[in-house]
Amino acid sequence: MTDIVVPKLNANDTTYTLVEWIVPAGATVGAGDPVATVETSKAAEELPSPGDGVLHHVVAVGAECAPGAVLGRLSPSAAGRDRFPAPEPDGAADRDRFPAPEPDRPVITEPALRVMEEHGIAPSAVRALGRKVVRAADLAPLLPPGAAVPGGTDVLPGAVVPLPGTDGSADDPGSGRRLELPAAQRAVGAVVAESHRTVPAAFVAVKVPLDAAVAHAQALTRRYRRLVGVPELLIAAVGTLLATHPLCFARLVAPGVVHIPGSADVGVTIDVGKGLHVPVLRAVDTSPVRDVAAQLMAHRMTALRGTFRAADLTGATIMLALHTDDDVTHAVPVLLPGTSCALSLAGRQTELFLDAGGAVAQRTVVQLGLAYDHRILNGRDAVAFLRDLSALLQHPTDPD
């Protein structure tokens, strides 16, 4: 028998959820064929078969599984596979409360089943959530305000739970509520904590006149019939500086030793209300603006669908944090561990200035910031990189 083992898909999660078996039990698969989908806090990932054989399911859909756990096994023959019993999900005796999964029905975890029973939540309301796997936290929109989780052992986002040593009443001066953060936010917290713990970061920013870039982006949008904005121009400009500012894309591999990548792969922050993601735009150093715009739009659509895969979120050699609401004047990004620089683009501001003739004029400006690993770069290097980016935005060239 050959084991199908759960790989380590990211540095933040200790368990994943088996969302679906792509191939039914008893089917014959070949090496490399996708057989199952597991969900991390950030992405859904298909797992390939490690070899040829007849598939046996060891773990049931909806179960939590840790890296290194055996999800399934491959037998060289159907007879060999039939020696093993079918997997039984946790709480299988309770499945009469909600029928076994069908194509139009979700898998409901045991904590979620308990919450449904406690609050009288109908299965039809749960199906309307549109999730393949329903956890207790997913039921928060169906609970009345202030509802507490049965037993206090499974805390929902927004659920009120008495703090230790209080009776939970409004008159108790020590009362309050405890919130269970979503898995995606916990993953962000782990990355931020690791960054602050391991990277001696510094920050510098420059003010960039933006009128020429805005006009150029509008012209390219009309030409390509595809949205091109200042972020797309900035990402393309970053790619052109790999050769002249290689340390801004470097990764520290040993004390005093860095690895210079062969391509500029830019991670860009995207948050559409489903958690912060940093998908990666590949080979930006060789991509025209139109291709940069296509990549970024594809990532935005994936964020809306919530279907990022681990491969979409790994391998950045530099990061860009977008904080482009007009009332955001500056932003200090967090360095991703394994990178040396993280750019930030803030909101547009309007200011008065003296033009070349000494007359008062109006212009649009933006703050462009850079957090950098002080083990790899110094302030002079960081400012030179920002000034070159500023020049590219102030004097954009026609890509054609």
Side-chain angles (χ1 to χ4, degrees):
M1 299 288 289
T2 301
D3 290 340
I4 301 174
V5 177
V6 181
K8 182 68 173 175
L9 295 173
N10 62 44
N12 306 317
D13 298 330
T14 57
T15 60
Y16 315 123
T17 301
L18 177 61
V19 176
E20 65 175 339
W21 280 105
I22 299 171
V23 178
T28 299
V29 299
D33 291 346
V35 293
T37 302
V38 295
E39 183 182 64
T40 73
S41 62
K42 289 287 190 179
E45 186 75 9
E46 291 183 354
L47 301 184
S49 171
D52 302 333
V54 179
L55 178 64
H56 169 64
H57 297 174
V58 172
V59 174
V61 170
E64 300 290 326
C65 44
V70 176
L71 282 183
R73 292 190 172 93
L74 297 173
S75 172
S77 67
R81 181 258 171 193
D82 290 342
R83 297 200 312 268
F84 295 89
E88 185 172 289
D90 293 339
D94 298 324
R95 282 294 176 252
D96 56 343
R97 290 178 283 166
F98 196 99
E102 296 177 5
D104 62 339
R105 287 182 169 174
V107 173
I108 302 181
T109 63
E110 286 304 310
L113 285 170
R114 293 195 296 269
V115 174
M116 289 173 62
E117 286 187 341
E118 178 71 13
H119 297 282
I121 299 173
S124 59
V126 176
R127 286 196 294 271
L129 294 173
R131 293 182 175 272
K132 291 183 178 180
V133 178
V134 179
R135 304 177 184 83
D138 299 324
L139 300 177
L142 306 179
L143 292 176
V149 182
T153 57
D154 190 6
V155 184
L156 299 183
V160 177
V161 179
L163 297 178
T166 75
D167 61 12
S169 67
D171 296 331
D172 186 340
S175 65
R177 66 177 186 171
R178 188 179 68 190
L179 300 179
E180 178 78 8
L181 295 173
Q185 185 58 43
R186 295 198 298 271
V188 171
V191 172
V192 173
E194 176 69 10
S195 175
H196 285 306
R197 185 181 68 83
T198 60
V199 182
F203 177 76
V204 66
V206 298
K207 182 168 63 176
V208 182
L210 212 56
D211 296 285
V214 171
H216 190 60
Q218 291 171 345
L220 292 182
T221 297
R222 291 190 296 269
R223 179 187 305 176
Y224 299 147
R225 298 184 180 180
R226 173 180 295 161
L227 178 63
V228 177
V230 173
E232 286 81 358
L233 294 183
L234 176 58
I235 293 166
V238 167
T240 66
L241 298 181
L242 173 61
T244 53
H245 296 274
L247 290 180
C248 293
F249 302 82
R251 174 170 56 91
L252 193 69
V253 294
V257 181
V258 297
H259 171 261
I260 305 297
S263 64
D265 301 316
V266 183
V268 182
T269 60
I270 295 178
D271 191 340
V272 294
K274 298 182 179 181
L276 176 67
H277 296 85
V278 189
V280 181
L281 281 69
R282 309 290 176 182
V284 172
D285 52 307
T286 58
S287 300
V289 176
R290 108 166 38 89
D291 292 348
V292 169
Q295 283 197 66
L296 189 55
M297 181 56 70
H299 283 321
R300 288 174 178 143
M301 297 305 298
T302 301
L304 288 170
R305 293 191 298 267
T307 55
F308 279 117
R309 300 188 180 280
D312 299 327
L313 307 171
T314 56
T317 57
I318 192 170
M319 190 188 80
L320 170 62
L322 299 176
H323 299 274
T324 53
D325 292 328
D326 286 343
D327 55 350
V328 177
T329 59
H330 74 283
V332 181
V334 175
L335 268 176
L336 292 177
T339 61
S340 63
C341 286
L343 288 155
S344 63
L345 184 68
R348 301 179 191 181
Q349 308 293 318
T350 300
E351 69 173 18
L352 299 177
F353 74 106
L354 295 177
D355 64 17
V360 176
Q362 181 176 290
R363 66 181 180 182
T364 300
V365 297
V366 69
Q367 189 209 64
L368 185 62
L370 186 73
Y372 58 96
D373 189 334
H374 225 321
R375 296 170 298 181
I376 300 175
L377 296 102
N378 293 319
R380 179 185 179 89
D381 307 310
V383 170
F385 181 58
L386 289 176
R387 284 175 174 163
D388 284 350
L389 285 175
S390 176
L392 291 170
L393 290 176
Q394 291 184 67
H395 306 286
T397 58
D398 193 320
D400 295 337

